[in-house]
């Protein structure tokens, strides 16, 4: 019984970990929205087996760069301008990053609530022993 | 009057079912954004209990099977079938089941203590 509760706790903690990493990636992208030549980072989720707790938990699969081209701005005076005077801006779309950050926050809260429920269930088991 | 300790076994098994179901739901919630993840659930306790009764077995120590959740119609474009709201509802339900099982367990023990004359 306690083993199942620790499985819940492990799964929820892994979920929170992944969502906070996702939020970190989104905020890195957002803070570099005006960095010329910056390529947006993307991440994917995957499942991995936690051998110790025997639970299938979620993990960060890989972080990769978005290869789509950024907008070309004509600014010959810019230090990063090419021979024809164009500077490549970042390929970050603020709307996408904000939506991603919000979704990460929502999922994080759901995991946190599961974590709290599991600890509450564990506490009520301990209360049984106390009486 | 309690004829046997069956009720204690039953409630302990029910609490165990609730804890296992909570673990499955926690996994679903953690994977709510994983592509191609299919939501899972545990087979209902009532079904397991009924099957055990029909076979004349005790429900203690019965293995609960993980089944695919019946939320197939909400699959998102990335192939994930977890609905966060539905899972939140299920996990709250599971927590209530666990609390109820523990409460019945506690009360059954109190009854037994009362029967053997221990002052409560």
């Amino acid at each position: 019984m306690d083993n199942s509760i620790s499985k819940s706790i492990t799964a929820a903690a892994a979920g929170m970990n992944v969502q906070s990493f996702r939020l970190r990636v989104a905020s890195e992208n957002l803070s570099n929205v005006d960095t010329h030549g910056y390529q947006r980072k993307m991440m994917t989720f995957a499942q991995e087996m936690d051998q110790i707790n025997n639970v299938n938990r979620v993990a960060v699969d890989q972080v990769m760069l978005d290869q789509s081209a950024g907008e070309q701005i004509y600014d010959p005076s810019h230090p990063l301008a090419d021979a024809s005077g164009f500077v490549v801006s970042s390929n970050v779309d603020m709307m996408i990053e904000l939506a991603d950050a919000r979704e990460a926050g929502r999922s994080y809260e759901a995991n946190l609530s599961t974590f709290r429920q599991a600890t509450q269930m564990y506490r009520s088991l301990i209360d049984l022993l106390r009486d | 009057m309690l004829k046997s300790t069956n009720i204690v076994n039953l409630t302990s098994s029910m609490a165990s079912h609730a804890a296992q179901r909570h673990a499955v739901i926690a996994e679903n919630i953690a994977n709510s954004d994983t592509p191609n993840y299919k939501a899972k659930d545990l087979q209902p306790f009532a079904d397991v209990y009924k099957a055990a009764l029909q076979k004349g077995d005790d429900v203690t120590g019965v293995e609960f099977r993980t089944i695919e959740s019946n939320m197939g119609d909400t699959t998102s474009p990335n192939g994930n079938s977890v609905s966060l709201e539905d899972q939140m509802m299920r996990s709250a339900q599971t927590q209530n089941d666990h609390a109820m099982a523990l409460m019945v367990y506690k009360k059954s023990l109190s009854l037994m203590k009362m029967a053997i004359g221990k002052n409560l």
Side-chain angles (χ1 to χ4, degrees):
Chain A
M1 197 189 294
D2 56 335
N3 190 28
S4 307
I5 294 177
S6 72
K7 273 186 186 175
S8 291
I9 291 175
T10 311
M16 283 193 277
N17 212 1
V18 163
Q19 296 301 340
S20 61
F21 185 82
R22 185 182 178 190
L23 195 59
R24 189 187 122 185
V25 170
S27 49
E28 274 178 18
N29 288 341
L30 273 175
S31 60
N32 281 296
V33 69
D34 293 324
T35 309
H36 290 296
Y38 177 83
Q39 281 182 307
R40 169 179 173 252
K41 284 179 191 146
M42 297 188 297
M43 59 163 290
T44 52
F45 299 122
Q47 286 187 78
E48 70 174 24
M49 194 66 194
D50 183 341
Q51 301 289 350
I52 301 163
N53 297 296
N54 191 27
V55 60
N56 238 344
R57 62 177 190 175
V58 67
V60 176
D61 187 24
Q62 53 178 324
V63 182
M64 52 212 161
L65 294 177
D66 185 352
Q67 298 298 336
S68 65
E71 197 192 345
Q72 292 218 334
I73 302 163
Y74 185 68
D75 186 2
S77 62
H78 197 280
L80 290 175
D82 59 12
S84 49
F86 281 98
V87 184
V88 181
S89 69
S90 77
N91 60 357
V92 177
D93 184 341
M94 279 178 93
M95 284 307 284
I96 292 174
E97 299 307 328
L98 277 173
D100 215 31
R102 187 161 281 207
E103 201 182 37
R106 201 175 77 118
S107 299
Y108 186 93
E109 274 172 29
N111 279 297
L112 186 61
S113 130
T114 320
F115 186 89
R116 286 203 183 116
Q117 276 176 342
T119 48
Q120 176 62 46
M121 281 160 81
Y122 197 73
R123 199 172 304 140
S124 48
L125 271 181
I126 291 172
D127 282 346
L128 265 190
L129 295 172
R130 196 177 288 155
D131 293 336
Chain B
M1 196 58 216
L2 292 170
K3 283 185 183 163
S4 64
T5 53
N6 261 351
I7 185 106
V8 178
N9 291 340
L10 177 66
T11 51
S12 126
S13 186
M14 193 178 162
S16 169
H17 177 270
Q20 280 184 42
R21 189 173 183 223
H22 198 266
V24 173
I25 292 167
E27 206 180 297
N28 287 342
I29 293 177
N31 283 293
S32 61
D33 299 312
T34 310
N36 297 321
Y37 181 85
K38 297 279 172 272
K40 291 181 282 186
D41 204 345
L42 213 60
Q43 62 180 145
F45 182 72
D47 291 1
V48 181
Y49 183 55
K50 209 186 278 174
L53 272 188
Q54 276 169 357
K55 273 200 286 177
D57 289 348
D58 195 345
V59 79
T60 323
V62 172
E63 283 279 314
F64 303 113
R65 271 186 304 115
T66 307
I67 53 172
E68 194 159 311
S69 179
N70 52 355
M71 285 294 293
D73 53 341
T74 58
T75 309
S76 61
N78 66 359
N80 187 301
S81 74
V82 178
S83 153
L84 219 45
E85 293 79 9
D86 178 62
Q87 296 300 324
M88 297 303 277
M89 199 256 305
R90 284 175 200 230
S91 68
Q93 208 176 41
T94 312
Q95 197 189 13
N96 288 345
D97 286 350
H98 190 259
M100 186 168 73
L102 292 194
M103 186 53 79
V104 177
Y105 182 87
K106 214 163 154 177
K107 290 289 170 194
S108 309
L109 287 187
S110 301
L111 274 177
M112 285 179 193
K113 280 183 193 164
M114 204 188 284
I116 59 171
K118 190 176 177 194
N119 278 340
L120 288 168

